[in-house]
Amino acid sequence: MNRYGIHGERGRRGTTALLALTLAGGLLLTGCGGTDDASNGAKDTAADSRGGSGPMPAPDRPRGEGEQRHDGGTSSGGARESGEGEKNGDSREIAPDPDYLSTFALDVDTASYGYARRTLSEGRLPDPSTVRPEEFVNSFRQDYERPDGDGFSVTVDGARTDDEDWSLVRVGLATRPADRQSERPPAALTFVIDVSGSMAEPGRLDLAQEALGTMTDRLRDDDSVAIVTFSDESETVLPMTRLGDRRGRVHDAIDGLEPMESTNLGAGVETGYETAVEGRREGATNRVVLVSDALANTGDTDADSILERVATERREHGITLFGVGVGSDYGDALMERLADRGDGHTTYVSTTEDAREVFSAQLPRNIELTARDAKAQVAFDPETVAEFRLVGYDNRQVADEDFRDDRVDGGEVGPGHTVTALYAVRTRSGADGHLATATVRWLAPDSRTPHEESGDVETDALDGSVWDADHGLRVTATAAYFADALRTSDGGYDHGGGDDHGGSLPGAPGLSELSERADGLADRTEDEDLRDLAEAIEEANRLA
């Protein structure tokens, strides 16, 4: 194994036979892979947007230890069902020989990046176990082409790194822009708010109260809100209430929140879902919004039993969970797992601006769901690709054979979202032609009809340097290299910008050089999000 820890190169021997097998399997999938729904603009499930073939299925092979099985065998990376011990596992050996497929559930979480910024601002390096590269990458807006209707567009591009034959390949997925407020379905939102003693710290409960008050004024008259609090016990302080002329009642409930005692998160989640079920509205988006530092210390503190409650309500009633993390001490792992089991996502807020953006812009704008159980599968061409690995998505991996099994959980994505996955790819010497095909599969939120869309990329797309590439790809690379540096537990980066970079990603610059590149991106665009990224990298370089 080389220094990047990616699965080793297969020889040319057998690749022709492998390609023949996979293409034959692809023809079979074309005939039976999914439902063509012309009335909804769906594509044939094995056809890409330009008429190319879908991803090549993996050839039959002996199952390695820990692989997912249809018969319920051991799994080491099932999407949204992974245990705490495997949550922060490494993705560097996800493609065992001779597999050229990579399959994962989509993820729009951003909490890891927000929490890392908060930690760095307090003069501490984040714990490497809390650093999830995909959440760093997905924290930045991308200008991918948007689809005309529901579903996804698929963009695949890439560029060379400074390491010979190594490239970064980006898979970008985008949904249509959010409809105007008047066009979306009504929302039934149950806010489950942590009022434990730890929430008295400035920047926790007070932050949530201010943002929730602003959000209440921006929601529509036909939206509904319920409020549940929890400390040592849980309480429904406001049952599901249609806003209309009752906004004052909601404001009074928010203003009356006060910090109390311990953190019985399990009771809060249970009461929150009970309240959401009681107030569930047909035809509305029903969602639980959990606001907490996720530091459970009273009552049911067992993550699995709390998670099972969330999963049960999700399955029976279709109620999704949006986790909002707060506080300098934050139970990142538990919050992320709760959102995973609740078919939702997480974010983290540390400032008034963060909170207003989340509650007043993101939540009202993205109440609607565009896709349920969305998964992506990337098929690399064995004729041109020697080895590859997915950057991050460690606890979102799905067995390749489960890509089209719609009983296997995926990710939930709303309108206006973009999802980015980055791969480190080593091409074969002199390789020319098809490099990879990326396919996204999802279920329509209401009918649960499956749909797919694909896009592909050729080797000639990798001609230029990643630092001279499209603006979005440079931002993606900068965020990924930053996360990679923070996950390097031995501090192996060359922080002075010399030659011994020591990072796990190919072409990894030192933090000093990375800071300069981020500064340049921020200066050229005057983008505040990129300025924040540059400052975070600079602080990490100082602390390392």
Side-chain angles (χ1 to χ4, degrees), residues 221-370:
D221 287 347
D222 61 346
D223 292 330
S224 300
V225 170
I227 297 177
V228 171
T229 61
F230 66 93
S231 56
D232 54 331
E233 297 179 348
S234 60
E235 177 186 4
T236 300
V237 299
L238 181 74
M240 193 64 72
T241 301
R242 193 79 62 98
L243 287 176
D245 59 357
R246 302 181 182 90
R247 294 178 195 268
R249 188 182 304 177
V250 179
H251 280 293
D252 288 344
I254 293 170
D255 293 342
L257 301 178
E258 294 181 355
M260 298 175 69
E261 298 177 16
S262 304
T263 307
N264 192 339
L265 192 147
V269 169
E270 182 170 359
T271 302
Y273 271 88
E274 288 174 353
T275 302
V277 170
E278 290 171 3
R280 184 175 179 272
R281 293 173 55 186
E282 292 293 336
T285 300
N286 296 274
R287 180 165 294 182
V288 169
V289 182
L290 174 61
V291 184
S292 176
D293 56 18
L295 299 174
N297 57 22
T298 300
D300 186 357
T301 60
D302 179 69
D304 288 337
S305 62
I306 297 174
L307 292 169
E308 182 53 36
R309 171 66 178 175
V310 174
T312 299
E313 299 298 348
R314 183 265 297 174
R315 288 192 298 267
E316 294 181 359
H317 302 287
I319 298 172
T320 58
L321 178 68
F322 179 34
V324 181
V326 295
S328 55
D329 294 320
Y330 169 51
D332 168 79
L334 178 56
M335 182 69 88
E336 192 216 6
R337 292 180 65 206
L338 283 167
D340 288 350
R341 282 288 187 91
D343 277 352
H345 61 283
T346 63
T347 190
Y348 178 86
V349 300
S350 61
T351 66
T352 301
E353 291 75 18
D354 288 344
R356 285 177 177 167
E357 170 66 19
V358 167
F359 288 108
S360 303
Q362 291 182 18
L363 185 57
R365 185 173 63 238
N366 296 324
I367 285 172
E368 185 182 0
L369 275 182
T370 297

Side-chain angles (χ1 to χ4, degrees), residues 7-10 100 381-382 384-388 425-428:
H7 66 84
E9 176 179 2
R10 270 70 66 183
Y100 281 84
D381 193 322
T384 57
V385 174
E387 47 188 305
F388 66 91
V425 177
R426 183 164 69 86
T427 54
R428 298 185 184 278

Side-chain angles (χ1 to χ4, degrees), residues 80 104-108 152 173 374-376 393 396 410-411 413 419 440:
R80 304 194 180 277
F104 59 95
L106 300 198
D107 182 13
V108 295
F152 292 86
L173 310 172
K375 305 170 207 159
Y393 290 91
R396 296 292 193 274
V413 181
V419 180
V440 58

